[in-house]
Amino acid sequence: MDPGVEKNKQQMELDVDLEVGLPDDDAATIERQDSLFREAVRAEHAGAAHWDEQDSWGRTMRLAFQCVGILYGDIGTSPLYVYSSTFEHGIGHPDDVVGVLSLIIYSFMLFTVIKIVFIALHANDHGDGGTFALYSLISRHAKVSLIPNHQAEDELISGYSNREKPSATLRRAHWLKQLLETSKAAKIFLFLLTILAIAMVISDAVLTPPISVLSAVGGLREKVPHLTTDQIVWITVAILVVLFAIQRYGTDKVGYSFAPIILLWLLLIGATGLYNLIKHDIRVLRAFNPKYTIDYFRRNKKEGWVSLGSILLCFTGSEALFANLGYFSIRSIQMSFSFGLLPSVLLTYIGQAAFLSKNPKNVANTFFASTPISLFWPTFIMAIAASIIGSQAMISCAFATVSHLQSLSCFPRVKILHTSKRFPGQLYIPGVNFLLCVAACVVTVSFKTTVIIGKAHEICVILVMIITTLLMTIVMLLVWKINILWIALFFIIFTSTEAVYLSSVLYKFTHGPYVPVAMSVVLMVVMIVWHYVHVKRYKYELEHTTSADKVKEMLESHDLKRVRGVALFYTELVQGIPPIFPHLIEKIPTIHSVLVFISIKHLPVPHVETSQRFLFRQVELKDYKVFRCVARYGYRDSLEEAKDFVVTLLENLQHYIRDVNLYTFDEPHNISTHSSCNHSFSREKPSGRYAVHAEDMLTPIESFSEITALSNYGSDHLPHFKASKMNMEELVKIEQEQMFIEKEMEKGVVYILGETEVVARPHSSLLKKIVVNYIYSFLRKNFVQGQKILFIPYGQLLKVGISYEI
């Protein structure tokens, strides 16, 4: 025998002995000391260390300090304009000030403190908050996605869902799950509800900077009364440009630099509020008695109801606080909110009410008029700084929502930069930042005053609040599974009160709210069109996948030539071979020595561990080295550089080649998940195109992570080690296959990317033709191309064009 082969055989035997331990003649289950287990333990310990660090008091205090600069600027600057917006036509009755203060106190406590800080923050998706996180949480417990790309293996991802045993108390959750999964109308309604909230949040990011900065700059008139409105506006525009220009430095750096400013601002306005309370009228503390709220509505009737739209501005920024949870932790937010923001803001509103009770004519500029003369300039400078920082929360929120939209396939591709290595959720999107800047400046120049901008701002706040309530109710039913009485209480209290606020805002629709509604309609059209065509294209490819016989015929063709190297063929399909592959072979009858069909798939989880990222399956005709791979990412994960991605992928491919030969199931096994669904991992052919057998999607033993994950279900489901039944030639052949992959990678990697031209069928309706042939085509051509998103080097890129009629 050749000495090299003998040496390889001995080394392979030694590797098997050391790594797994040779079992007896019968196939034995994987021992807990194997390398797979050691890797899983390292990942588990790493995750535990991460959460220990996250829950440590040192990190909590650091995050509590930082979140002051990111989250509380918007809420903390609302006293600049709430009273002036509410009493737009002056104060009619002396007790109206106390009545409005009472409404502000209880509105703030109900919506911001109780609903957001102490309830909604707990409905987070592994630390991520906001409307999208709620939708993602629901998506993991019920298959509500409109894209038919769900795989049974996805449910084995760490943190995908809880494994709960069914019981009688879960029948209500099961009923809701069935409703959401079987009703297309329910799926579409939930989807539209989510993108409406997201569109409103992005519109809010356009309106928050103008109203905050314009309110602060308007204070100059107290000392420089000859300033004109236009001059105030252009000063504001200059500040807005600077604000958006600094976004490129990232939230991490911005948060640490802004936190001391906002902390000083909260201390300053709180102290000023206490000063005004003592100096002017301590009797305004009567506002804590809800009787004055009732009296306010009795006196003012319709006018009192209409004023609710302006009063709700006191809790603007609450939606950003929830959406930006991914940057921080629940405990850090609750701590800094309870001991920092809450007392400062309440003291400010109370102090302003005390001032207005003695000086009702100064309502147009309450904040600066109530500031002591000696503190005016420090307060003015801090107000400018705080208003800039307040806008930062909504801008960060807009970046996060756009990133999430892309993972949902609801938004054209844009360049996303991750600005912090320690906090992967901190983003900067240059294109979106530029558009927000332009829109904010246009709004400022067009409306000139905070009155109209404030009215426009109102509908964003209340609609997001209502949608959050609806999604929270579904989460309570489907995920939390708490007592129905608590759910009913939550739903009735918040939907009824929020509906009253919404009716007040809609009454003034033509006076400002139409602006964000118009912006949101445009955004929703973009989202709906992009998602609609994406789903149609995916279903078209799924219906026209290349059959196994066709693939076998192409690979065995004498005209097909093999060239050295590795080819990565990108496709959105997670099942089957896309129709663009035979199109390529027909035009260029050549394939590389190693061909991998890659699908980039975003799961409804914030993160996917690297060890669980890749799923592989070998296509028919093993000697041709053709594989399918699904690379799974969470919606907050960033795509790696192409070079790093290829190295990681091919390393996992080598592991797969080893695993699929060393481990096997004796018979088909059922793996029961938390959702009580049995997924048969069988090597039989699927009975139909949409069968969920793993063989139709991916080979059962997919990677390190899948073997480790299966071990969580008990020894009966473990794959069996069969190396003892293999001779040394087979073991050496495995090693040679792994070496072949490595050598071909050294020969070069080519990235094959499909350029799909999607057009409507000739007999389609006029609306469908407009949507597909014009709107979608315009969006696809004017946004970032796929190779830029995937960081593919131009010198290694091969584009293949094809047209689909949908």
Side-chain angles (χ1 to χ4, degrees):
M1 180 179 289
D2 181 68
V5 174
E6 181 66 27
K7 180 179 180 181
N8 285 336
K9 290 166 63 177
Q10 294 174 357
Q11 182 63 42
M12 178 64 76
E13 183 177 358
L14 179 62
D15 289 344
V16 172
D17 277 329
L18 292 176
E19 189 170 299
V20 183
L22 286 175
D24 53 20
D25 292 336
D26 294 330
T29 56
I30 302 172
E31 296 185 13
R32 303 302 283 177
Q33 289 80 20
D34 64 17
S35 63
L36 307 181
F37 177 71
R38 288 197 299 270
E39 180 175 336
V41 169
R42 285 196 299 269
E44 183 179 354
H45 287 334
H50 170 73
W51 287 111
D52 286 343
E53 180 192 356
Q54 190 176 46
D55 290 337
S56 68
W57 279 107
R59 188 170 190 269
T60 299
M61 295 299 292
R62 187 170 67 252
L63 289 176
F65 175 75
Q66 188 182 7
C67 74
V68 170
I70 299 297
L71 302 182
Y72 302 150
D74 193 8
I75 304 177
T77 54
S78 57
L80 287 170
Y81 48 80
V82 170
Y83 278 112
S84 58
S85 298
T86 304
F87 293 113
E88 182 183 351
H89 304 293
I91 299 173
H93 189 280
D95 283 345
D96 284 353
V97 174
V98 180
V100 167
L101 175 60
S102 183
L103 276 169
I104 290 173
I105 291 172
Y106 286 105
S107 297
F108 191 81
M109 296 297 293
L110 180 64
F111 296 111
T112 302
V113 179
I114 297 176
K115 178 182 174 180
I116 299 297
V117 176
F118 288 99
I119 298 180
L121 289 188
H122 290 283
N124 65 86
D125 186 16
H126 294 288
D128 205 42
T131 305
F132 185 88
L134 292 175
Y135 181 79
S136 174
L137 197 59
I138 294 169
S139 298
R140 289 210 308 278
H141 288 77
K143 300 178 183 68
V144 297
S145 174
L146 297 173
I147 305 174
N149 65 349
H150 178 77
Q151 293 172 283
E153 292 89 348
D154 295 339
E155 298 183 18
L156 300 176
I157 289 290
S158 299
Y160 190 91
S161 56
N162 298 320
R163 301 185 180 96
E164 298 180 14
K165 295 182 179 179
S167 64
T169 59
L170 303 181
R171 284 179 295 184
R172 184 176 64 247
H174 181 71
W175 172 83
L176 181 60
K177 180 178 183 293
Q178 290 292 108
L179 174 65
L180 292 175
E181 291 183 345
T182 57
S183 171
K184 187 175 181 181
K187 292 181 180 180
I188 293 175
F189 174 75
L190 195 62
F191 171 76
L192 292 176
L193 205 63
T194 303
I195 65 171
L196 172 60
I198 291 174
M200 281 292 171
V201 168
I202 296 173
S203 300
D204 201 0
V206 172
L207 298 173
T208 296
I211 191 173
S212 299
V213 178
L214 199 57
S215 299
V217 175
L220 273 176
R221 285 180 171 170
E222 287 292 314
K223 295 296 182 181
V224 191
H226 62 271
L227 274 177
T228 64
T229 300
D230 287 341
Q231 289 172 328
I232 295 291
V233 165
W234 287 111
I235 293 172
T236 301
V237 169
I239 294 173
L240 291 177
V241 171
V242 173
L243 166 65
F244 285 98
I246 65 175
Q247 295 302 312
R248 68 182 66 190
Y249 297 106
T251 309
D252 188 29
K253 301 178 182 65
V254 168
Y256 275 117
S257 60
F258 282 178
I261 299 174
I262 291 296
L263 191 59
L264 288 173
W265 166 256
L266 294 177
L267 291 173
L268 180 61
I269 63 174
T272 302
L274 182 61
Y275 167 81
N276 285 324
L277 173 64
I278 296 171
K279 179 181 178 180
H280 295 290
D281 189 1
I282 200 169
R283 293 179 303 164
V284 296
L285 293 176
R286 294 174 296 167
F288 282 96
N289 185 346
K291 168 184 176 296
Y292 289 92
T293 298
I294 300 172
D295 292 343
Y296 174 76
F297 286 119
R298 283 177 178 172
R299 279 193 306 273
N300 295 280
K301 297 181 174 61
K302 180 181 177 181
E303 287 74 16
W305 164 67
V306 172
S307 70
L308 284 175
S310 299
I311 290 172
L312 68 81
L313 292 174
C314 70
F315 54 83
T316 181
S318 300
E319 65 278 13
L321 188 153
F322 181 35
N324 285 331
L325 171 63
Y327 297 109
F328 310 103
S329 66
I330 296 176
R331 190 163 64 181
S332 65
I333 293 175
Q334 290 179 340
M335 180 184 298
S336 59
F337 187 94
S338 301
F339 297 104
L341 179 81
L342 181 60
S344 298
V345 170
L346 287 185
L347 277 174
T348 305
Y349 285 122
I350 292 170
Q352 289 183 3
F355 173 82
L356 288 176
S357 66
K358 301 297 183 182
N359 304 277
K361 293 183 179 180
N362 290 328
V363 69
N365 198 12
T366 307
F367 182 83
F368 288 103
S370 64
T371 302
I373 297 176
S374 60
L375 292 178
F376 176 83
W377 286 113
T379 303
F380 172 77
I381 294 171
M382 293 296 294
I384 296 292
S387 63
I388 291 174
I389 298 167
S391 306
Q392 172 68 40
M394 288 310 303
I395 297 171
S396 298
C397 188
F399 292 159
T401 52
V402 170
S403 174
H404 296 163
L405 281 173
Q406 286 199 289
S407 66
L408 196 62
S409 299
C410 290
F411 203 79
R413 302 183 184 101
V414 292
K415 184 179 181 180
I416 300 176
L417 302 177
H418 290 255
T419 59
S420 174
K421 293 182 179 180
R422 292 196 306 158
F423 303 103
Q426 299 183 357
L427 312 173
Y428 170 62
I429 306 177
V432 173
N433 187 64
F434 175 77
L435 292 176
L436 290 177
C437 180
V438 171
C441 292
V442 169
V443 166
T444 305
V445 173
S446 301
F447 299 130
K448 299 183 184 299
T449 66
T450 59
V451 176
I452 298 178
I453 300 176
K455 287 180 170 55
H457 196 37
E458 296 165 5
I459 197 166
C460 296
V461 177
I462 195 61
L463 276 180
V464 174
M465 276 288 184
I466 290 174
I467 294 172
T468 300
T469 298
L470 296 177
L471 295 181
M472 280 284 299
T473 303
I474 297 176
V475 168
M476 289 178 176
L477 287 166
L478 185 65
V479 183
W480 290 359
K481 305 179 183 72
I482 60 176
N483 190 294
I484 189 66
L485 295 178
W486 288 112
I487 300 174
L489 186 65
F490 173 86
F491 181 78
I492 293 171
I493 290 176
F494 287 104
T495 52
S496 60
T497 52
E498 288 164 357
V500 174
Y501 280 90
L502 177 62
S503 64
S504 172
V505 173
L506 293 178
Y507 180 79
K508 302 176 288 185
F509 184 79
T510 57
H511 296 279
Y514 69 91
V515 176
V517 170
M519 289 190 289
S520 297
V521 167
V522 173
L523 288 169
M524 287 187 68
V525 167
V526 171
M527 297 178 203
I528 291 171
V529 167
W530 191 266
H531 192 67
Y532 170 78
V533 177
H534 178 84
V535 172
K536 287 290 185 182
R537 185 181 63 191
Y538 190 93
K539 289 182 177 179
Y540 178 92
E541 291 188 337
L542 196 61
E543 292 168 1
H544 294 82
T545 52
T546 307
S547 66
D549 293 336
K550 177 67 174 177
V551 173
K552 185 176 181 180
E553 180 185 337
M554 286 189 297
L555 294 177
E556 290 179 333
S557 173
H558 295 293
D559 297 330
L560 187 67
K561 298 178 181 179
R562 305 301 296 262
V563 295
R564 302 300 299 272
V566 176
L568 304 182
F569 198 119
Y570 284 87
T571 173
E572 292 181 353
L573 281 183
V574 297
Q575 302 117 328
I577 304 300
I580 198 171
F581 177 64
H583 175 74
L584 171 64
I585 298 301
E586 288 173 7
K587 304 300 180 185
I588 309 174
T590 305
I591 63 171
H592 290 74
S593 298
V594 178
L595 176 63
V596 183
F597 292 93
I598 297 180
S599 301
I600 304 295
K601 181 179 180 180
H602 288 275
L603 301 182
V605 292
H607 300 288
V608 175
E609 295 294 333
T610 305
S611 61
Q612 297 179 312
R613 177 144 296 152
F614 298 100
L615 294 177
F616 291 94
R617 178 185 187 272
Q618 188 157 12
V619 181
E620 298 290 345
L621 297 177
K622 187 175 180 181
D623 292 339
Y624 279 84
K625 303 294 186 295
V626 179
F627 304 90
R628 283 205 320 241
C629 172
V630 179
R632 304 176 294 182
Y633 291 84
Y635 56 80
R636 289 181 63 199
D637 287 332
S638 58
L639 299 179
E640 304 95 330
E641 294 287 341
K643 183 178 179 180
D644 297 333
F645 176 79
V646 170
V647 171
T648 307
L649 182 141
L650 293 181
E651 283 180 357
N652 281 270
L653 178 57
Q654 289 176 306
H655 298 328
Y656 163 78
I657 291 171
R658 186 197 69 180
D659 296 346
V660 79
N661 286 282
L662 291 182
Y663 303 98
T664 186
F665 289 109
D666 290 340
E667 298 293 340
H669 284 258
N670 289 332
I671 298 178
S672 301
T673 68
H674 72 286
S675 58
S676 304
C677 296
N678 290 334
H679 304 288
S680 177
F681 284 80
S682 170
R683 291 188 181 275
E684 298 176 357
K685 292 297 181 185
S687 57
R689 178 179 297 276
Y690 299 101
V692 296
H693 291 87
E695 177 67 22
D696 183 41
M697 298 182 287
L698 298 167
T699 302
I701 305 304
E702 304 299 352
S703 66
F704 281 114
S705 59
E706 297 312 308
I707 297 174
T708 306
L710 295 178
S711 67
N712 295 330
Y713 296 92
S715 60
D716 293 340
H717 304 299
L718 281 172
H720 295 283
F721 181 65
K722 62 177 183 178
S724 62
K725 296 183 178 181
M726 303 173 69
N727 57 42
M728 284 298 103
E729 284 76 7
E730 290 176 316
L731 294 176
V732 171
K733 187 176 179 181
I734 294 174
E735 185 180 26
Q736 289 174 342
E737 286 187 32
Q738 292 176 313
M739 294 300 296
F740 178 80
I741 298 292
E742 188 173 340
K743 288 179 180 178
E744 292 304 317
M745 178 183 171
E746 294 172 355
K747 296 294 181 181
V749 178
V750 173
Y751 304 84
I752 304 174
L753 199 63
E755 280 290 300
T756 307
E757 183 75 22
V758 181
V759 295
R761 290 175 181 171
H763 302 293
S764 300
S765 64
L766 177 62
L767 177 61
K768 185 175 181 179
K769 288 180 179 179
I770 293 173
V771 167
V772 177
N773 297 349
Y774 295 98
I775 301 177
Y776 176 79
S777 179
F778 173 81
L779 293 173
R780 190 178 67 86
K781 292 176 182 177
N782 288 276
F783 280 83
V784 178
Q785 298 300 306
Q787 70 270 13
K788 294 183 179 179
I789 296 295
L790 299 170
F791 304 102
I792 296 175
Y794 281 101
Q796 299 171 257
L797 175 64
L798 173 62
K799 289 187 177 182
V800 182
I802 191 171
S803 295
Y804 295 158
E805 287 187 353
I806 63 173

